[in-house]
Amino acid sequence: MAESLAVDVAERYTRRGKTRISRATVQRVIVYFLLTLISVLVIVPLMWAFAASFTPNDEVFRYVFPFSWRALFPVDFTVEAYRNLFFEEGFTRPIANTLILGFSTVILSGVTSALAGFAFARFDFRGKDVLFGLVLLTFMIPGEVTMIPLYIVVSRLALVNTWTALIVPGLANSLVIFLFRQFFIEIPQDLIDAARVDGASWLKVFASIVLPMSKPVLITASLLLFLGQWNSFFWPLLVAPDPKLRVVQVAVSYAYEEHKTLWNQLLAGSVVAALVPILLVLPFQRYYVSGLVGSGLKE
Amino acid sequence: MAVRRADHTRASTMQWIPYLFLLPAFILLFTFRIAPALAGFREALYTHNLSAARRSFVGWGNFAHIFRDPIFWKSLRITLVFSLVTNPLQTALALALAVLANQRVRGISIFRSVYLLPVVISINVTSTIWGLLLNKDSGMINGILIQFGLPRQPFLLSPDQALWTIIGIISWVGVPYWMMFFLAGLQGIPQALFEAAAIDGANAWQSFRYITLPLLRRIIAFVLISDTVVNLFLFAPVWILTRGGPQLSTNLLMYDAYRRGFVWGDMGGSAAMMMILLVIAAITVAVEFLLFRSREG
């Protein structure tokens, strides 16, 4: 009797142990299955675009319809699309324009936003709360709302199709001001006091004490500012219709309209336009995500 | 006396310094963000002749003109349907994806990197690629449908399917984008809470329902509200893929505002449309905000 009970318990115990293990395994299998399924949804379109951009134009849809795995690899490899894109279509121009736009924004907006962030983080002054409230408010107003009125002003000033109109409005970035403030507020007061006692001016404190220890926020801000311009579309579309000032995203979008039959070239342009942000973000993923997410969580 | 005076001058120069630090950024913010938003209301009351740099006051004329236009009412209806579907859908899927991406399994960081790809690629490139994938005659999606013996679909060419197709395309970006916010929120929840719940016999659904959801309430509200605003001002996919068609079935208000100004040359009407859109955004955000507030009590 006692023996059979013991066997019973032992049996139940092992059975329970087994189901526990197998349930954990099942759970893990489901998790991996879902993770992979979503990865496929993300990667397959990109792989096709990548492969097709290295395919002769009349072969772009060959393995797609009906679908075969060959569609995801450049089986008839050629760089024809890229050669045409850069040497005949002059795609270097939009790239150069966008690089100029991006780098000038990183430098100019980086400096002005960092200065403002420093003031909000380290000074007490009259109207601070109101002014910071304004920064947060401009966050809430989507950029698109201001673009049509801004376009009216810019065109009245005859600034359409100028670098000024293309670059300067993008320098106003409240998210980056906010990120700098959040970072500067954490810097120990002792460091700043020590420098002040030694007679350093505030600008010197900012440039030689604060900035050198702010690498994380500088990376985050630069990434957000650069990618913001690299991916910007609506404002350049309105304010710089001149092909000489065309930026990458506008060029890609016009290509969709104008070269509806030069698919491999269209996709080559898209691959270039996509590769820059991917290569910039992947090594600095943590900085990028913390910057984007920071706006939503720290309040 | 001398000491006090030195103190005084130092204090008063001190008072100027913060404003000097703020000045460049605030000139920019004021000129390019705050003033144009306010000017939008004024410009909406004028008709504009940009080539002659002239404008004339028409009062509420632009608005009256828009409200008499049946295209506006159709766009408004489309925009409302679009918002009501897209925002809850993206928020719910983003939360689900975040729970999945928060699982502590080997290689999870690789999956997270993959999910970041649609976020960093521009919406223009995304629209271009999906536009080709969804091509009626030779797109990959129809290639796959045919292989399963299903009929091929017109997608962006059909007035019944185009809007839903655009919702699908932008969710390919929106879901992983908002997922990052939820993931950051999930990672902020102490693991001990879940362990305690598990010891008390809570299953996965219960700990999601009674731990995760309440602790993420503020982020859910933030995501829903931000997503609403972003999608009300959605422009690029419509411009690239459909230009508001077919048969105006994707003529969202934002695109209609653009079309009025930059295709028809009616800048005053365009500015008025933007103001209408801004009011709609404010109302929707207020309603969502109140919904979340009332549930908190």
Side-chain angles (χ1 to χ4, degrees), chain A residues 135-146:
Chain A
V135 171
L136 294 181
L137 183 73
T138 54
F139 238 46
M140 312 285 172
I141 309 172
E144 288 82 354
V145 173
T146 59

Side-chain angles (χ1 to χ4, degrees), chain A residues 27-28 30-32 34-36 38-39 41-46 48-49 61 64-68 71-72 108-109 112-120 123-128 131-132 134-135 138-146 148-153 155-156 168-169 171-174 177 196 202-203 206 227 230-231 233-234 237-238 249-250 252-254 256-257 260 263 266-267 269-271 273-274 277-278 281-282 285 288-289 292-297 299, chain B residues 10 14-15 17-22 24-26 28-37 39-43 48 50 53-55 97 100-101 103-109 111-125 127-133 135-144 146-147 152 156 172 176-177 180-181 184-185 204 218-219 222 229-230 233-237 239-241 243 254 257-258 261-262 267-268 270-271 274-275 278 281:
Chain A
Q27 220 165 32
R28 189 163 298 173
I30 293 174
V31 165
Y32 275 117
L34 291 173
L35 286 169
T36 311
I38 293 160
S39 303
L41 280 178
V42 169
I43 286 175
V44 164
L46 300 178
W48 173 72
F61 291 108
V64 157
F65 207 92
F67 179 72
S68 106
L72 303 183
L108 296 171
S109 186
T112 56
S113 308
L115 286 170
F118 185 73
F120 282 124
F123 292 115
D124 279 318
F125 52 91
R126 203 178 288 177
K128 183 174 170 177
L131 290 177
F132 193 61
L134 268 180
V135 171
T138 54
F139 238 46
M140 312 285 172
I141 309 172
E144 288 82 354
V145 173
T146 59
I148 285 171
L150 197 58
Y151 175 81
I152 294 175
V153 173
S155 66
R156 218 181 278 145
V168 180
L171 301 180
N173 193 316
S174 40
I177 296 176
R196 288 293 293 166
W202 277 108
L203 210 57
F206 176 74
L227 293 183
W230 182 266
N231 286 348
F233 172 62
F234 192 53
L237 176 76
L238 300 189
Q249 304 302 333
V250 175
V252 168
S253 309
Y254 271 118
Y256 187 80
E257 179 80 3
K260 269 224 153 113
W263 298 288
L266 173 60
L267 288 166
S270 301
V271 166
I278 291 174
V281 166
L282 285 187
Q285 210 168 316
Y288 177 76
V289 173
L292 269 196
V293 170
S295 61
L297 302 179
E299 263 172 79
Chain B
R10 198 170 157 207
M14 255 300 292
Q15 279 169 359
I17 288 171
Y19 298 108
L20 285 180
F21 273 71
L22 289 176
F26 265 85
L28 290 168
L29 277 183
F30 188 79
T31 318
F32 298 111
R33 304 291 311 233
I34 299 168
F41 285 102
R42 206 187 56 224
E43 305 296 346
H48 297 265
L50 290 180
R54 263 207 322 265
R55 59 177 191 179
L97 186 59
L100 186 67
Q103 299 296 316
R104 302 178 159 202
V105 295
R106 195 173 293 175
I108 191 71
S109 61
F111 289 105
R112 285 185 199 153
S113 302
V114 169
Y115 302 161
L116 201 59
L117 294 177
V119 175
V120 300
I121 297 172
S122 73
I123 186 75
N124 303 59
V125 169
S127 303
T128 302
I129 294 175
W130 276 103
L132 295 177
L133 288 171
N135 185 297
K136 187 189 174 199
D137 300 315
S138 45
M140 184 194 289
I141 305 301
N142 272 325
I144 294 172
I146 279 205
Q147 222 146 24
R152 67 168 76 168
L156 291 162
W172 190 77
Y177 180 83
M180 299 194 311
F181 289 77
R218 284 188 54 213
I219 302 177
F222 172 84
V229 175
V230 167
F233 294 94
L234 184 81
F235 174 75
W239 191 86
I240 293 169
L241 295 169
R243 302 273 167 127
M254 179 67 196
Y258 165 84
F262 294 86
M267 291 308 300
S270 188
M274 291 306 293
M275 291 308 114
L278 192 61

Side-chain angles (χ1 to χ4, degrees), chain B residues 6-268:
Chain B
D7 263 7
H8 179 74
T9 37
R10 198 170 157 207
S12 63
T13 48
M14 255 300 292
Q15 279 169 359
W16 280 105
I17 288 171
Y19 298 108
L20 285 180
F21 273 71
L22 289 176
L23 193 63
F26 265 85
I27 290 176
L28 290 168
L29 277 183
F30 188 79
T31 318
F32 298 111
R33 304 291 311 233
I34 299 168
L38 298 174
F41 285 102
R42 206 187 56 224
E43 305 296 346
L45 303 177
Y46 289 83
T47 58
H48 297 265
N49 186 336
L50 290 180
S51 50
R54 263 207 322 265
R55 59 177 191 179
S56 46
F57 187 75
V58 290
W60 295 102
N62 287 325
F63 290 93
H65 185 76
I66 289 169
F67 290 139
R68 273 199 305 271
D69 186 351
I71 291 179
F72 165 75
W73 293 104
K74 184 172 178 176
S75 297
L76 179 65
R77 209 180 58 231
I78 293 167
T79 307
L80 291 182
V81 170
F82 170 79
S83 296
L84 280 174
V85 173
T86 311
N87 305 318
L89 178 84
Q90 287 190 356
T91 307
L93 289 178
L95 181 55
L97 186 59
V99 170
L100 186 67
N102 195 37
Q103 299 296 316
R104 302 178 159 202
V105 295
R106 195 173 293 175
I108 191 71
S109 61
I110 297 170
F111 289 105
R112 285 185 199 153
S113 302
V114 169
Y115 302 161
L116 201 59
L117 294 177
V119 175
V120 300
I121 297 172
S122 73
I123 186 75
N124 303 59
V125 169
T126 300
S127 303
T128 302
I129 294 175
W130 276 103
L132 295 177
L133 288 171
L134 290 161
N135 185 297
K136 187 189 174 199
D137 300 315
S138 45
M140 184 194 289
I141 305 301
N142 272 325
I144 294 172
L145 285 182
I146 279 205
Q147 222 146 24
F148 286 104
L150 297 164
R152 67 168 76 168
Q153 301 296 323
F155 295 117
L156 291 162
L157 297 178
S158 146
D160 299 323
Q161 293 180 3
L163 187 66
W164 307 103
T165 309
I166 286 185
I167 291 176
I169 294 173
I170 62 167
S171 297
W172 190 77
V173 180
V175 171
Y177 180 83
W178 299 113
M179 179 274 276
M180 299 194 311
F181 289 77
F182 287 128
L183 189 59
L186 284 174
Q187 285 167 346
I189 300 177
Q191 199 61 26
L193 279 178
F194 293 108
E195 282 158 15
I199 289 168
D200 289 346
N203 61 30
W205 167 251
Q206 284 168 327
S207 53
F208 175 77
R209 173 69 187 77
Y210 296 105
I211 299 175
T212 311
L213 270 189
L215 287 176
L216 289 187
R217 163 178 269 127
R218 284 188 54 213
I219 302 177
I220 296 173
F222 172 84
V223 166
L224 188 62
I225 287 170
S226 313
D227 199 23
T228 304
V229 175
V230 167
N231 285 329
L232 275 174
F233 294 94
L234 184 81
F235 174 75
V238 179
W239 191 86
I240 293 169
L241 295 169
T242 62
R243 302 273 167 127
Q247 294 167 36
L248 295 174
S249 63
T250 59
N251 195 39
L252 295 168
L253 285 175
M254 179 67 196
Y255 183 76
D256 201 49
Y258 165 84
R259 207 174 50 146
R260 266 167 216 273
F262 294 86
V263 181
W264 299 348
D266 175 12
M267 291 308 300

Side-chain angles (χ1 to χ4, degrees), chain A:
Chain A
M1 181 76 179
E3 210 181 79
S4 77
L5 189 72
V7 169
D8 202 343
V9 168
E11 210 176 74
R12 211 184 290 165
Y13 184 76
T14 48
R15 205 185 296 152
R16 230 178 90 196
K18 255 189 203 157
T19 48
R20 247 233 210 96
I21 288 168
S22 64
R23 188 193 268 176
T25 317
V26 167
Q27 220 165 32
R28 189 163 298 173
V29 168
I30 293 174
V31 165
Y32 275 117
F33 173 76
L34 291 173
L35 286 169
T36 311
L37 184 74
I38 293 160
S39 303
V40 167
L41 280 178
V42 169
I43 286 175
V44 164
L46 300 178
M47 267 183 86
W48 173 72
F50 189 78
S53 74
F54 286 104
T55 303
N57 196 41
D58 44 3
E59 304 269 302
V60 163
F61 291 108
R62 184 166 161 201
Y63 299 110
V64 157
F65 207 92
F67 179 72
S68 106
W69 60 269
R70 286 190 183 83
L72 303 183
F73 300 92
V75 271
D76 310 301
F77 184 86
T78 167
V79 291
E80 157 204 299
Y82 289 89
R83 206 173 42 223
N84 289 342
L85 190 69
F86 284 105
F87 296 114
E88 279 165 39
E89 288 290 321
F91 198 60
T92 29
R93 179 119 209 185
I95 289 182
N97 286 346
T98 318
L99 289 177
I100 294 171
L101 177 62
F103 284 123
S104 37
T105 305
V106 168
I107 291 166
L108 296 171
S109 186
V111 169
T112 56
S113 308
L115 286 170
F118 185 73
F120 282 124
R122 310 305 313 202
F123 292 115
D124 279 318
F125 52 91
R126 203 178 288 177
K128 183 174 170 177
D129 292 341
V130 176
L131 290 177
F132 193 61
L134 268 180
V135 171
L136 294 181
L137 183 73
T138 54
F139 238 46
M140 312 285 172
I141 309 172
E144 288 82 354
V145 173
T146 59
M147 283 178 187
I148 285 171
L150 197 58
Y151 175 81
I152 294 175
V153 173
V154 163
S155 66
R156 218 181 278 145
L157 296 173
L159 286 174
V160 172
N161 282 324
T162 61
W163 277 105
T164 314
L166 197 57
I167 295 176
V168 180
L171 301 180
N173 193 316
S174 40
L175 171 61
V176 174
I177 296 176
F178 181 77
L179 290 175
F180 274 117
R181 176 208 177 247
Q182 296 301 94
F183 189 87
F184 292 152
I185 224 165
E186 306 287 338
I187 292 176
Q189 186 65 37
D190 301 355
L191 283 172
I192 293 172
D193 287 344
R196 288 293 293 166
V197 168
D198 289 347
S201 72
W202 277 108
L203 210 57
K204 190 154 185 227
V205 170
F206 176 74
S208 60
I209 312 265
V210 173
L211 283 189
M213 58 192 296
S214 304
K215 213 183 265 172
V217 73
L218 290 173
I219 295 175
T220 305
S222 307
L223 271 177
L224 290 180
L225 288 168
F226 184 84
L227 293 183
Q229 291 294 31
W230 182 266
N231 286 348
S232 76
F233 172 62
F234 192 53
W235 180 247
L237 176 76
L238 300 189
V239 87
D242 186 345
K244 281 185 201 143
L245 283 177
R246 200 165 272 182
V247 296
V248 167
Q249 304 302 333
V250 175
V252 168
S253 309
Y254 271 118
Y256 187 80
E257 179 80 3
E258 289 163 4
H259 304 306
K260 269 224 153 113
T261 50
L262 288 174
W263 298 288
N264 62 352
Q265 216 165 293
L266 173 60
L267 288 166
S270 301
V271 166
V272 174
L275 225 47
V276 168
I278 291 174
L279 293 180
L280 276 178
V281 166
L282 285 187
F284 299 109
Q285 210 168 316
R286 204 159 47 86
Y287 299 98
Y288 177 76
V289 173
S290 76
L292 269 196
V293 170
S295 61
L297 302 179
K298 287 180 189 164
E299 263 172 79

Side-chain angles (χ1 to χ4, degrees), chain B residues 272-284:
Chain B
M273 283 286 292
M274 291 306 293
M275 291 308 114
I276 295 171
L277 204 48
L278 192 61
V279 170
I280 294 173
I283 293 172
T284 324

